[in-house]
């Protein structure tokens, strides 16, 4: 597992300049430093990701840790084969803010529970901000998240599994919806958003437009005791789907559930498992190809 121990090192070269050039250098360095600070604020905290990866790999009990992405920027994913004879398809799991691919709440129960139901699951590490980062810093990582999600899609298509479900929790749901808006993959047949909050950007919510134009079935699931931002925007999400005549959109609230569905993990697995199986009914993997196009799901 040499990749886990890989350390990235930055080398700096110092140049000596004469007094006559110092003023010019200051004018160049000030905007450069500002650019570097902004870039650092927007970049994923790779050291934090590495620490989490080490802990997961050393303690994982179910599934296989794999590395996806380009050599210089690989990230951890947890792959689990279905426990059934037939494979229904693949599930890509996107964790919430400050979480990981084996997060105890929502993600771990789903990646294991759906594999027991016949799905090949892949839970990926999304880009992480520094601890105690502001929400804007987390949102700045969306650009880095999209190629990671695409790598997960590519992982399945390389195995001739093109019947894929994308499931995101919290910030992961926002990243998943953004991915579907910007880089739609035909292999993704349905989308499940758990605890999806607003995607406000300068008084606009791009999530609402994406929901209204999404061509695949979508389950919008949240708890009755979820985060205020999730509950507050629920009606807007439902209205956006209704206005556009989206027959494949369904919104459900789980009574008593908070954002992490603690104590209701079995309910979550059963509810999502039943919906995604209905969403891609008749699309069991057979020789790598899905048999039929996805139906509209109420």
């Amino acid at each position: 597992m040499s990749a886990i121990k890989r350390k990235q090192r930055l080398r700096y070269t110092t140049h000596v300049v004469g007094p006559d050039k110092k003023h010019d250098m200051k004018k160049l360095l000030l905007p450069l430093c500002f650019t570097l600070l902004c870039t650092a604020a927007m970049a994923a905290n790779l050291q934090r990701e590495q620490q989490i990866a080490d802990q997961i790999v050393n303690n994982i009990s179910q599934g296989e840790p794999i590395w996806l992405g380009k050599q210089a920027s690989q990230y951890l994913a947890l792959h689990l084969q279905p426990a059934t004879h037939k494979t229904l398809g693949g599930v890509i799991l996107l964790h919430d803010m400050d979480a990981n691919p084996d997060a105890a709440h929502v993600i771990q129960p789903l990646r294991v529970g759906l594999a027991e139901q016949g799905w090949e699951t892949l839970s990926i590490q999304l880009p992480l901000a520094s601890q105690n980062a502001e929400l804007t810093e987390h949102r700045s990582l969306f650009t880095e998240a999209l190629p990671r999600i695409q790598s997960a899609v590519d992982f399945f298509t390389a195995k001739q599994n093109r019947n894929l479900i994308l499931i995101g929790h919290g910030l992961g749901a926002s990243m998943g919806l953004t991915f579907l808006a910007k880089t739609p993959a035909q292999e993704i047949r349905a989308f499940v958003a758990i605890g999806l909050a607003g995607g406000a950007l300068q008084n606009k919510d791009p999530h609402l437009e994406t929901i209204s134009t999404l061509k695949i079935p979508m389950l919008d699931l949240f708890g009755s005791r979820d985060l205020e931002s999730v509950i507050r925007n629920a009606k807007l999400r439902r209205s956006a789907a209704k206005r556009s005549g989206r027959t494949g959109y369904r919104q459900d609230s789980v009574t008593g559930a908070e954002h992490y569905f603690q104590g209701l993990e079995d309910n979550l697995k059963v509810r999502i498992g039943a919906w995604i199986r209905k969403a891609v009914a008749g699309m069991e993997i057979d020789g790598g190809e899905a048999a039929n196009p996805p139906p509209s799901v109420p």
Side-chain angles (χ1 to χ4, degrees):
M1 192 61 66
S2 58
I4 300 175
K5 304 301 181 184
R6 184 182 66 250
K7 295 182 179 179
Q8 297 182 344
R9 297 181 180 178
L10 300 177
R11 294 183 179 181
Y12 299 89
T13 303
T14 303
H15 297 278
V16 179
V17 297
D20 58 329
K21 294 185 179 181
K22 287 184 177 179
H23 181 68
D24 291 336
M25 288 297 292
K26 285 182 179 180
K27 289 194 294 184
L28 290 172
L29 286 172
L30 285 175
L32 176 60
C33 289
F34 178 77
T35 301
L36 288 173
L37 286 172
C38 291
T39 302
M42 294 177 65
N45 189 325
L46 298 180
Q47 182 179 9
R48 188 181 179 202
E49 288 187 26
Q50 188 65 57
Q51 292 172 344
I52 290 174
D54 290 341
Q55 293 174 358
I56 291 176
V57 170
N58 290 332
N59 296 286
I60 188 172
S61 60
Q62 291 176 287
E64 174 191 12
I66 61 175
W67 295 91
L68 298 178
K70 296 181 180 179
Q71 187 66 33
S73 56
Q74 289 186 323
Y75 64 92
L76 177 67
L78 300 180
H79 177 234
L80 188 58
Q81 293 283 5
T84 56
H85 177 67
K86 283 189 176 182
T87 301
L88 299 177
V91 171
I92 299 170
L93 291 157
L94 311 176
H95 63 74
D96 197 5
M97 183 188 306
D98 287 328
N100 62 73
D102 201 31
H105 304 298
V106 176
I107 296 301
Q108 200 275 346
L110 284 178
R111 78 174 190 85
V112 175
L114 294 179
E116 293 172 349
Q117 296 177 31
W119 299 89
E120 183 179 2
T121 65
L122 185 70
S123 182
I124 70 173
Q125 176 67 62
L126 292 170
L128 291 178
S130 299
Q131 286 183 316
N132 303 316
E134 297 293 333
L135 181 59
T136 53
E137 294 181 59
H138 290 281
R139 290 192 179 280
S140 70
L141 299 174
F142 276 49
T143 301
E144 294 183 54
L146 304 191
R148 295 195 185 191
I149 300 173
Q150 183 61 56
S151 292
V153 174
D154 295 341
F155 169 83
F156 277 117
T157 55
K159 301 180 66 179
Q160 300 302 308
N161 188 342
R162 297 184 176 89
N163 186 34
L164 306 182
I165 311 295
L166 188 62
I167 301 178
H169 177 221
L171 190 69
S174 290
M175 289 178 170
L177 199 57
T178 302
F179 173 81
L180 293 173
K182 294 183 178 296
T183 53
Q186 63 179 3
E187 296 88 355
I188 295 180
R189 314 291 184 173
F191 175 57
V192 178
I194 306 168
L196 175 66
L201 181 63
Q202 297 179 346
N203 298 323
K204 287 187 177 181
D205 188 344
H207 287 354
L208 300 181
E209 181 179 354
T210 303
I211 289 172
S212 68
T213 58
L214 202 61
K215 303 299 183 184
I216 59 176
M218 174 179 172
L219 175 61
D220 182 353
L221 187 66
F222 61 98
S224 65
R225 297 169 50 228
D226 215 310
L227 302 177
E228 180 184 353
S229 57
V230 175
I231 297 174
R232 182 178 63 243
N233 292 321
K235 186 176 180 179
L236 295 176
R237 299 193 301 272
R238 188 170 64 250
S239 296
K242 185 176 181 180
R243 283 196 306 270
S244 61
R246 284 273 287 109
T247 58
Y249 174 88
R250 176 169 180 168
Q251 186 179 87
D252 278 342
S253 174
V254 179
T255 302
E258 38 73 71
H259 190 62
Y260 297 99
F261 286 77
Q262 295 185 67
L264 292 170
E265 292 85 359
D266 288 341
N267 183 304
L268 186 69
K269 289 184 290 185
V270 170
R271 190 179 293 250
I272 291 179
W275 185 86
I276 62 176
R277 185 150 188 166
K278 184 178 181 181
V280 294
M283 296 179 65
E284 290 184 359
I285 299 301
D286 184 11
E289 297 294 337
N292 303 304
S296 294
V297 179

